[in-house]
Amino acid sequence: MNTRLEDRTTAAANGTDASGTDTTGTAASGTDANGTGTAAAGTGGTEAVIGSARERIDSLDERIIALMQERMSVSESIQRARMASGGRRVALSREMEIISRYSEALGRPGTTVAMTLLELCRGQV
């Protein structure tokens, strides 16, 4: 796993972002000894944090989908060029490089992500 991903993973496990800022909402909502929200602090702050974070996730998902669609288009042009010159549509050695890159960056689930992405990008040529 790369260092940046490890830093983010460690920070998330500790309830902070990469800069060390509290992401648990405990400062805004307060917690009791059991780690549950206190009634005095209310849940409005927590709901606002969750709502804002969900909006950010939706925005990120839109960007990820747009990038995947762009990647699919680029991949299609490569496949067409390869086939026009008498080659095969898919280059397995290149696919293995991509799977390795995702696996190194994201760990074991990265392999699944890469394989799914490659499947999408093979498309119908």
Side-chain angles (χ1 to χ4, degrees):
M1 200 179 321
N2 70 33
T3 304
R4 289 184 298 186
L5 182 59
E6 287 173 355
D7 291 345
R8 288 191 304 258
T9 304
T10 302
N14 293 331
T16 60
D17 65 15
S19 68
T21 303
D22 181 14
T23 60
T24 63
T26 55
S29 64
T31 58
D32 62 17
N34 296 321
T36 57
T38 58
T43 59
T46 300
E47 291 173 7
V49 168
I50 291 170
S52 176
R54 285 182 175 163
E55 287 177 14
R56 178 80 172 124
I57 286 173
D58 290 346
S59 174
L60 289 167
D61 285 344
E62 287 176 18
R63 290 170 46 201
I64 291 167
I65 291 167
L67 287 169
M68 289 174 67
Q69 290 171 332
E70 181 180 353
R71 190 188 192 289
M72 290 166 64
S73 176
V74 172
S75 181
E76 181 181 350
S77 68
I78 291 169
Q79 291 172 47
R80 287 186 188 282
R82 193 180 295 127
M83 289 186 325
S85 67
R88 301 185 77 187
R89 183 169 66 97
V90 175
L92 296 177
S93 62
R94 174 67 176 150
E95 288 194 355
M96 293 307 297
E97 289 174 22
I98 293 165
I99 291 169
S100 178
R101 183 181 319 132
Y102 276 74
S103 179
E104 288 174 18
L106 303 173
R108 187 171 169 183
T111 300
T112 304
V113 171
M115 292 177 73
T116 301
L117 183 61
L118 290 168
E119 182 180 353
L120 281 169
C121 290
R122 284 185 201 117
Q124 301 290 323
V125 176

